[in-house]
C-alpha cells in the first residue's frame, strides 16, 4: 500500500477542531481518536500495522517541524523547547510520554532512530502507541493554533504546508529539516 498523507491531515484537522471546542468530550467521541481507531481497525483487518505506522510517522513529521518553527520563533533550540514542554507537562501533573523523545528523534539526521523508537513503543504497549498518535495530533494542532495566534502563519496556510511536507516525506523526498511555515517570516 503506498503511503498516503490523507489520514495524517485528517488527524490534524480533527485534532484542531477538537482543540477549539469549549466543552470536553468523551475519549471515544473525540474525532482524533476516531481517526486513529479507523486506522487501527483497517490494520487489524489486514493483519498488519502499516496504516498506524504511517499515521504515527507522518504526524511526528508535522509535530517535529512545528516544534522547530516555534523554537526558532523563541530563538531557542528545539531541545530547549522540548525541555520546556516536558517541564510544563510535569507542572500540570501529566505523565511522561514518548512524545518528547520522538520529537527529538525526528530532528536527528538518522530517520531510522525515530522508526526504531516508534517500533519499540508499538511492540511494548499497543494502546499507549495509539494514545501517542492522538497526543502527537493534539500537540501538532496546538502548534498550528500558536502559529496563528503569534501571527506567524494562518491555520489553513500551515495545514497546507504540512500536507505538502508529509507528501514529500512519504515520497522519500525529505524536505530540509527547517523548511516549514515559519520560514515565511
Amino acid at each position: 500500500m503506498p503511503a498516503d498523507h490523507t489520514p495524517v491531515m485528517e488527524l490534524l484537522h480533527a485534532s484542531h477542531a477538537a482543540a477549539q471546542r469549549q466543552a470536553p468530550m468523551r475519549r471515544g467521541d473525540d474525532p482524533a481518536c476516531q481517526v486513529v481507531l479507523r486506522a487501527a481497525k483497517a490494520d487489524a483487518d489486514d493483519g498488519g500495522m502499516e496504516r498506524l505506522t504511517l499515521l504515527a510517522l507522518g504526524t511526528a513529521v508535522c509535530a517535529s517541524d512545528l516544534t522547530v518553527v516555534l523554537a526558532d520563533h523563541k530563538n531557542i533550540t528545539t531541545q530547549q523547547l522540548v525541555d520546556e514542554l516536558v517541564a510544563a507537562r510535569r507542572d500540570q501533573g501529566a505523565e511522561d510520554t514518548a512524545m518528547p523523545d520522538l520529537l527529538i528523534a525526528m530532528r536527528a539526521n538518522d530517520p531510522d532512530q525515530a522508526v526504531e523508537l516508534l517500533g519499540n513503543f508499538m511492540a511494548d504497549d499497543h494502546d499507549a502507541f495509539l494514545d501517542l498518535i492522538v497526543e502527537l495530533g493534539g500537540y501538532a494542532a496546538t502548534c498550528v493554533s500558536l502559529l496563528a495566534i503569534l501571527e506567524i502563519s494562518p491555520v489553513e496556510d500551515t495545514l497546507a504546508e504540512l500536507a505538502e511536507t508529509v507528501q514529500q516525506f512519504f515520497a522519500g523526498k525529505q524536505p530540509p529539516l527547517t523548511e516549514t511555515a515559519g520560514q515565511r517570516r
Side-chain angles (χ1 to χ4, degrees), residues 83-164:
D83 290 345
E84 286 180 10
L85 171 67
V86 169
R89 289 176 51 83
R90 283 189 183 137
D91 288 347
Q92 295 174 350
E95 293 181 25
D96 288 339
T97 68
M99 189 181 71
D101 293 336
L102 183 58
L103 292 174
I104 295 303
M106 292 300 294
R107 298 312 323 153
N109 287 327
D110 180 11
D112 292 337
Q113 180 183 2
V115 172
E116 182 180 339
L117 180 64
L118 281 173
N120 291 339
F121 197 67
M122 186 180 350
D124 290 343
D125 186 341
H126 186 72
D127 289 340
F129 178 65
L130 299 179
D131 288 343
L132 174 64
I133 298 170
V134 173
E135 182 183 11
L136 284 166
Y139 171 75
T142 299
C143 290
V144 168
S145 294
L146 282 172
L147 291 175
I149 291 167
L150 296 170
E151 298 180 352
I152 296 170
S153 176
V155 169
E156 289 308 315
D157 290 355
T158 302
L159 291 172
E161 287 188 31
L162 290 172
E164 185 177 321

